Amino acid sequence: MDFGSVDVRDTCDDVEGAGRATTAGETTEREGTSARDAALGAKETGAVRGQAIQGRRGPATESVRGSATGGARGSASGAVRGSASGVLGSPATGGLRALATEAVHAGRDDLARQGLHAVPIDLSTTYPSYDSRGEAARIDAFATDGAEPEGPPVYGRLGNPTVARFETALARLEGTESAVAFASGMAALSAVLLVRNAMGLRHVVAVRPLYGCSDHLLTAGLLGSEVTWVDPAGIADALRPDTGLVLVESPANPTLAELDLRAIAHACGSVPLLADNTFATPVLQRPAEQGARLVLHSATKYLGGHGDVMAGVVACDEEFAGRLRQVRFATGGVLHPLAGYLLLRGLSTLPVRVRAASANAAELARRLAADPRVARVHYPRLGGAMIAFEIHGDPHEVIAAVRLITPAVSLGSVDTLIQHPASISHRIVDAEDRRHSGVSDRLLRLSVGLEDVEDLWRDLDGALGRG
């Protein structure tokens, strides 16, 4: 079994804390931090494998303007720097707020002053204006640097007040100045590549494994980019004058391998590091605090959390955000306002969902590690709700045999999902490249939800018996 890149025989006690754990007939004893306790976040002052859960943060500045549907706009500037479950600066309170509090209130700070409680949904595609000279000036300003236009909205493709609330909230949680939302995670990644391509920086250095479609987008050169695949230690040597981006995912999809983001950011030098944080979410890690300039989410997953919204988002500094907004405007990869509303609602329960699902996952990882039908289990040191495991039998039979667990692509929902990456999410990746990056044909990926863990184990145990 493997917690990230470390064999589970040395780390299975991390699920329960220091002590003894039996895996595949072998007993190991060592001291370690409890991944389950860390995932639960019982105390905001704990620690997750060197990722401090505490930290003081400077005040974030948030400009609140517009009508009742206009909402909280502007950047979450300042400096949300520190740890994953730490304290974030709050302009509304003039003080510091915990992550769980910020998840509930970020992007909503102006509602009470407007006599509102629920976030309004602005479905307008266009907005009236009798000042055409003023509109021309605002559009010219947007064309210059991509900054959000001051005053009332202009057009739905240029920006939407409901979506802006979600962007503000996500930037606050990730500790970046800004965030830009898109219609999907792939649209978000495509926009990043297009920004760099437009600057003549078409070369990308990337570390496998990545989400299968991200891998394909780079390998196929669909946007005119060229990719060099390397191990983490080879990043610095792979950089070229035309390198525009270094792309990593940690924990990685689907093997859950973890990378030292701080070391990688240092190796990148002046080249922006984009870290896909979909699996960890800002509850467990904030890549920007470790040097990543860009943080990517498939918001379809944990940020939405209920399997009913598709979206992507990039958290970054305001300079890069401006360029992303220009690409979004030109290409039309906009997020629908209803999706923005659902995502903002999803953020309010994100810490609770992630911690509860992580507790279930840690327990299932422990049981799978001790099961003779399972060859290897991958579970990240920082915890989380994702498990990958390789079985001795037929993975397709396990997929066919589950009854409570849903066999489906995607992840991060309140219900538990299982899939066979080599057949679905990573099918588009060359078979040899899949195997080289650890995605074996016997690997199953489990996105653990909020069901009772005993019910989940009963279903998984029965399905393994059929495999």
Side-chain angles (χ1 to χ4, degrees), residues 242-261:
D242 64 338
T243 302
L245 191 70
V246 174
L247 175 58
V248 302
E249 185 174 358
S250 181
N253 185 354
T255 65
L256 302 175
E258 295 176 275
L259 302 175
D260 185 340
L261 294 179

Side-chain angles (χ1 to χ4, degrees), residues 33 57 67 107 132 181 192 194 216 219 265 277 314-315 357 417 451 457:
T33 303
R57 303 168 185 269
S67 65
S132 57
V192 172
L194 288 173
H216 177 67
T219 302
N277 202 34
V314 179
L417 308 178
E451 302 94 337
W457 177 248

Side-chain angles (χ1 to χ4, degrees), residues 11 33 45 123 151 173 176 185 205 233 289 384 412 438:
T11 58
T33 303
T45 56
L123 296 173
L173 294 181
T176 59
V205 175
E289 296 168 356

Side-chain angles (χ1 to χ4, degrees), residues 27 88 99 136 170-171 187 220 274 357 392-393 436 438:
T27 302
L88 296 89
L99 175 72
L170 193 277
L274 185 153
H392 293 296
H436 181 72

Side-chain angles (χ1 to χ4, degrees), residues 35-404:
R36 184 179 184 185
D37 289 346
L40 281 168
K43 294 184 178 181
E44 296 287 346
T45 56
V48 182
R49 284 289 184 184
Q51 304 287 332
I53 300 189
Q54 60 183 0
R56 295 293 175 181
R57 303 168 185 269
T61 61
E62 179 184 77
S63 173
V64 179
R65 60 181 183 270
S67 65
T69 57
R73 293 192 175 196
S75 67
S77 174
V80 188
R81 299 285 184 268
S83 71
S85 290
V87 181
L88 296 89
S90 169
T93 63
L96 298 172
R97 302 198 297 206
L99 175 72
T101 303
E102 199 68 86
V104 172
H105 290 279
R108 305 168 179 84
D109 289 324
D110 65 317
L111 293 182
R113 296 193 299 275
Q114 299 187 53
L116 299 172
H117 183 239
V119 172
I121 307 174
D122 187 337
L123 296 173
S124 299
T125 57
T126 192
Y127 299 86
S129 173
Y130 295 93
D131 181 8
S132 57
R133 293 185 181 88
E135 295 296 84
R138 293 205 294 160
I139 291 174
D140 287 346
F142 177 82
T144 300
D145 59 11
E148 291 185 295
E150 295 287 341
V154 178
Y155 182 58
R157 188 154 48 85
L158 194 63
N160 174 271
T162 309
V163 173
R165 289 182 179 276
F166 163 67
E167 293 172 330
T168 294
L170 193 277
R172 291 266 286 277
L173 294 181
E174 279 291 3
T176 59
E177 290 182 337
S178 301
V180 183
F182 294 85
S184 70
M186 291 308 301
L189 176 58
S190 296
V192 172
L193 294 174
L194 288 173
V195 165
R196 303 306 280 169
N197 288 357
M199 302 173 69
L201 303 172
R202 296 179 176 274
H203 180 239
V204 178
V205 175
V207 177
R208 279 185 171 127
L210 297 174
Y211 168 54
C213 288
S214 299
D215 188 308
H216 177 67
L217 181 65
L218 295 175
T219 302
L222 296 176
L223 297 180
S225 53
E226 175 190 350
V227 63
T228 299
W229 297 101
V230 298
D231 293 328
I235 289 175
D237 290 339
L239 299 178
R240 307 186 328 206
D242 64 338
T243 302
L245 191 70
V246 174
L247 175 58
V248 302
E249 185 174 358
S250 181
N253 185 354
T255 65
L256 302 175
E258 295 176 275
L259 302 175
D260 185 340
L261 294 179
R262 193 176 303 278
I264 288 175
H266 184 265
C268 291
S270 61
V271 177
L273 170 62
L274 185 153
D276 190 325
N277 202 34
T278 299
F279 277 21
T281 80
V283 177
L284 297 179
Q285 101 180 338
R286 294 197 190 94
E289 296 168 356
Q290 301 175 58
R293 184 177 175 190
L294 308 167
V295 182
L296 174 69
H297 284 273
S298 173
T300 307
K301 314 309 195 289
Y302 286 104
L303 302 189
H306 294 77
D308 55 7
V309 59
M310 184 169 289
V313 63
V314 179
C316 56
D317 58 56
E318 175 57 23
E319 179 185 356
F320 205 99
R323 294 180 179 275
L324 288 174
R325 292 187 197 106
Q326 291 174 323
V327 168
R328 182 177 64 182
F329 176 71
T331 60
V334 296
L335 184 66
H336 192 274
L338 181 57
Y341 168 83
L342 290 172
L343 288 168
L344 188 60
R345 188 175 68 168
L347 288 185
S348 64
T349 60
L350 179 65
V352 176
R353 288 187 286 104
V354 168
R355 288 164 183 160
S358 296
N360 278 350
E363 175 60 18
L364 292 178
R366 185 188 67 81
R367 297 187 188 190
L368 287 167
D371 196 307
R373 298 168 295 184
V374 176
R376 195 179 191 192
V377 175
H378 309 259
Y379 185 71
R381 291 182 181 275
L382 58 72
M386 299 298 300
I387 306 172
F389 61 100
E390 301 168 48
I391 66 171
H392 293 296
D394 185 346
H396 301 286
E397 292 297 323
V398 174
I399 294 289
V402 293
R403 294 295 177 263
L404 175 65

